[in-house]
């Protein structure tokens, strides 16, 4: 962008970031696309680090997604290389070659094999990502990695993000203290299913990769897979979770082990915090929207209904206009094809029931709802009155800012 | 709206409208919502008029949609009453009562039974539509109906439309000249499937209702069901086709009768013309987009891919910004879940192939594509390279105008 974007009114401050023993990281300006800012991030992990990942469901994924899917089969990671500004998507053989060259150079520096190097790219689609700009910058970046590099990493992976995103949790496994710390980037082209942006989370817990994968796969369902900014699923999205094992907690063989209860809750809450930061930095967003659907015939059905509301341009523009236009919520429920009975439907906004059993409630007073709509966090509750299925989805409003940003992204 | 919207830059002039023997129509200002404009339209048909209809697939349809679905079972029509400004949706028992009262009064005037009266409403959702404003206006309107009332009807059904929409065809059945003439309204909340707005078409052809229904159901597939403005399916949409039989053409027993070839082609072309007018009046639209998908595993699959591109906010904002951002087209292909192979994909814009076999074509010169993007009619062609399935979908760009209109609709 020619002009830096104004910071989202929903931005949250960067938390106090600590270190994760076994992780060293940093960022540098490699001149891939942007001028005067960092755009290349490296993290290196101690030997023995396990890894889990979830990826975009796009049928046209970027070369780095293919690379990581293959690398993940080994279950171990020693390094991560991320660039911003160019997604290395739809770049054919050149894109694959860039992955291979990048992994080879980084593997040499980190003292591992290329398949232990994970790669991620974010930015414009369809332009060749020059490997040499990355590989030329890697040696100096490798030499400068530190355990304190988390903020630099959070800033270095940003594209149209207006604030850096990070979260941290302190928890325990079997009485042994462990840390979980993660960063994320994402602002547009955000939709389930899948990971919906880039996020990298590390812990010093000692966990087998299969356990890690189970925890991550479950954790994204109610976090990164429950957010949408614009219904457009990226070609590049991933969440990677690294466990260095430095905490030396008691061995855990299954994700269902009760020793993991606190860890699982902490991880889930961290993933949700990061995912909500992405919504709150949704391109042009001025309000966060939480959609709660209950009474559906199943959780899957509730999810589809919630997503139809969350993705509806008419609902999102109504929220932008601070208009409690519940009729558009009814429209979105009706359009998505899931079982719904107009005459059993209840709609509430800001905790105030507006419509019940197919019509507006008698004596409906819009005053408190109008006040709610002026706030930053809008709550829409829909009960379908059919069963026990429920789901929650988060979205943001659709404003002139979205048009400004996306009508001129490449220029 | 407080201020009248500027007329769409894609507007087409109203054609020279003639009459359809057996149809008398007119419009009046009933004060339902708007001030200083007509908002109530009535058409009456000669005895013996047959009717066909297609309706929104919404699970939360308006009371008039329920009414028309039931009325359609009789296959005959004597009157149509349409109001603009209030959709009579999610209005519970009051909404049903309004339909009953309106049909009763109109049936009395037209000399028929209520089930031969068709009803349509368009406008805001969730507010009770006062039957008395309609029924009070009906007698004077009935008295003033004329065969020349088509333009008045086209104007009287507008909501956020910026220009009236009508089309006419002269054709023949078995050598007997027949006319087909129709009007439409629609601008936002437009998406397949279903009829996606209001359109009323009449012909003086003599055709059984079953034949009429077959012709209409097939005709909407490539017209009203192939357009999208904002992916939001309305609760109120319908297309009704009336045949007065005044032309006295030879009897036709099947929609596949070769005697109907010219009529079918004329009807299909009229439906497409009306549907494209809706796209060209898409809220805030500055450019029409035609998406052509070929090489899919089936026509259904091609349709889903075409719709994913047509609905993508990122594709639509790129077109608004005159940016030939084909990477977003790839993203949209990838996100929709249909079979697609990144490395077989071909993307062309404005007839210029930009990407082939998973990457940009060698020596791609953006100059002619940049010129194409400055035009009013944007053409995107995608070949999936997998099979013989193909589909065409029409959309429009996503601009600041859409936000302006929909962030303040109710105010």
């Amino acid at each position: 962008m020619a002009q830096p974007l104004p910071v989202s009114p929903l931005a949250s401050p960067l938390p106090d970031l600590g270190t994760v023993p076994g992780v060293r990281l940093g960022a540098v300006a490699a001149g891939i696309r942007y001028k005067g800012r960092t755009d290349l991030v490296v993290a290196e992990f101690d030997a023995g680090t396990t890894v889990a990942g979830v990826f975009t469901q796009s049928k046209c994924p970027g070369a780095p997604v293919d690379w990581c899917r293959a690398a993940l089969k080994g279950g171990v990671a020693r390094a991560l290389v991320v660039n911003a500004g160019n997604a290395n998507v739809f770049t054919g053989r050149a894109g694959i070659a860039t992955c291979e060259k990048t992994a080879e150079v980084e593997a040499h520096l980190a003292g591992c094999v290329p398949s232990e190097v994970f790669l991620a790219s974010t930015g414009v689609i369809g332009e060749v990502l020059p490997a040499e700009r990355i590989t030329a910058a890697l040696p100096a970046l490798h030499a400068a990695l530190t355990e304190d590099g988390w903020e630099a990493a959070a800033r270095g992976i940003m594209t149209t993000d207006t604030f850096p995103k990070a979260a941290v949790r302190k928890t325990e496994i079997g009485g042994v203290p462990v840390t979980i710390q993660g960063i994320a980037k994402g602002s547009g082209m955000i939709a389930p299913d899948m990971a919906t942006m880039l996020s990298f989370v590390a812990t010093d817990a000692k966990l087998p990769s299969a356990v890690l994968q189970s925890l991550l796969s479950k954790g994204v369902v109610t976090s990164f897979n429950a957010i949408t900014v614009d219904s457009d699923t990226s070609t590049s999205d991933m969440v990677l979770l690294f466990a260095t094992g430095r905490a030396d907690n008691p061995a855990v063989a299954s994700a269902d082990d009760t020793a993991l209860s606190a860890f699982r809750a902490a991880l889930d809450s961290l993933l949700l915090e990061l995912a909500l930061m992405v919504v709150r930095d949704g391109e042009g967003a001025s309000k966060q929207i939480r959609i709660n659907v209950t009474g559906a015939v199943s959780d899957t059905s509730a999810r589809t209904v919630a997503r139809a509301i969350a993705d509806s341009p008419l609902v999102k523009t109504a929220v932008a206009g601070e208009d409690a236009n519940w009729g558009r919520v009814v429209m979105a429920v009706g359009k998505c094809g899931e079982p719904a009975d107009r005459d059993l439907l209840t709609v509430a906004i800001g905790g105030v029931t507006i419509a019940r059993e197919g019509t507006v409630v008698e004596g409906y007073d819009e005053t408190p709802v109008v006040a709610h709509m002026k706030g930053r966090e809008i709550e829409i509750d829909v009960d379908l009155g059919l069963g026990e299925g429920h789901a929650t989805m988060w979205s943001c409003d659709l404003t002139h800012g979205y048009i400004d940003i996306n009508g001129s992204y490449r220029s």
Side-chain angles (χ1 to χ4, degrees), chain A:
Chain A
M1 307 296 293
Q3 293 287 325
L5 294 166
V7 173
S8 167
L10 305 170
S12 41
L14 207 62
D16 282 334
L17 293 170
T19 65
V20 178
V23 182
R24 296 165 306 287
L25 60 185
V28 74
I32 293 164
R33 178 181 190 85
Y34 304 113
K35 305 289 169 205
R37 57 155 278 191
T38 56
D39 58 0
L40 183 67
V41 169
V42 164
E44 290 182 5
F45 309 100
D46 278 6
T49 294
T50 55
V51 60
V54 288
F55 301 93
T56 179
Q57 293 298 301
S58 172
K59 297 291 175 70
C60 299
V65 171
D66 287 346
W67 176 273
C68 286
R69 282 205 170 101
L72 197 64
K73 290 176 183 156
V76 295
R78 294 296 305 283
L80 167 71
V81 181
V82 190
N83 74 275
N86 183 320
N88 193 11
V89 169
F90 219 66
T91 45
R93 289 178 203 286
I96 299 167
T98 292
C99 287
E100 288 169 347
K101 277 181 226 158
T102 304
E104 189 181 322
V105 172
E106 175 57 26
H108 184 73
L109 293 166
C112 65
V113 294
S115 63
E116 293 168 344
V117 178
F118 287 74
L119 305 173
S121 297
T122 176
V124 71
I125 295 175
E127 292 183 10
V128 170
L129 172 62
E132 56 280 11
R133 293 218 186 138
I134 295 175
T135 54
L138 284 177
L141 179 51
H142 166 76
L145 299 179
T146 82
E147 287 202 330
D148 296 315
W150 284 88
E151 179 175 342
R155 293 187 186 278
I157 62 174
M158 291 164 65
T159 55
T160 50
D161 301 66
T162 71
F163 63 94
K165 300 169 181 68
V168 57
R169 294 290 183 278
K170 300 285 187 185
T171 180
E172 56 79 27
I173 298 175
V176 176
V178 300
T179 296
I180 315 174
Q181 190 157 285
I183 59 175
K185 66 83 42 182
S187 183
M189 209 182 275
I190 301 295
D193 282 315
M194 191 43 327
T196 67
M197 22 58 65
L198 301 183
S199 182
F200 308 106
V201 181
T203 175
D204 55 347
K206 188 175 181 175
L207 292 168
S209 60
V211 171
L212 215 55
Q213 184 65 49
S214 174
L215 290 169
L216 180 62
S217 296
K218 282 182 194 161
V220 297
V221 172
T222 51
S223 57
F224 288 115
N225 280 351
I227 61 171
T228 179
V229 167
D230 54 13
S231 79
D232 277 341
T233 306
S234 164
T235 49
S236 306
D237 300 338
M238 65 175 79
V239 182
L240 296 176
L241 171 60
F242 303 93
T244 66
R246 284 275 296 271
D248 210 26
N249 50 274
V252 177
S254 156
D256 299 324
D257 193 320
T258 54
L260 280 181
S261 300
F263 184 86
R264 189 189 305 111
L267 177 65
D268 287 351
S269 127
L270 175 135
L271 292 173
L272 181 57
E273 183 178 344
L274 288 173
L276 289 185
M277 284 181 191
V278 173
V279 163
R280 295 171 73 85
D281 204 9
E283 289 171 338
S286 73
K287 293 168 193 288
Q288 174 183 297
I289 312 173
R290 194 221 62 203
I291 297 120
N292 221 11
V293 172
T294 54
V297 295
S298 69
D299 288 355
T300 304
S301 180
R303 226 174 137 73
T304 302
V305 173
R307 187 175 169 182
I309 301 167
D311 276 341
S312 162
L314 288 171
V315 171
K316 290 156 67 77
T317 47
V319 171
E322 301 186 340
D323 176 7
N325 195 321
W326 57 275
R328 295 184 183 176
V329 176
V330 173
M331 174 281 301
V333 172
K335 81 169 177 170
C336 70
E338 290 299 314
D341 181 334
R342 178 185 62 200
D343 300 329
L344 295 176
L345 205 59
T346 301
V347 178
I349 297 179
V352 177
T353 298
I354 301 176
R356 183 185 288 136
E357 295 176 2
T359 191
V360 70
V361 299
E362 211 176 305
Y364 164 53
D365 173 14
E366 201 175 30
T367 314
V369 181
V370 168
H372 176 76
M373 294 304 294
K374 294 190 187 302
R376 292 288 188 200
E377 302 188 359
I378 306 305
E379 304 194 342
I380 299 174
D381 296 305
V382 171
D383 189 275
L384 299 175
L386 297 174
E388 300 296 319
H390 60 91
T392 301
M393 189 81 61
W394 282 269
S395 186
C396 59
D397 56 344
L398 174 59
T399 70
H400 286 294
Y402 185 85
I403 311 289
D404 284 335
I405 294 166
N406 289 299
S408 61
Y409 176 58
R410 296 199 312 171
S411 54

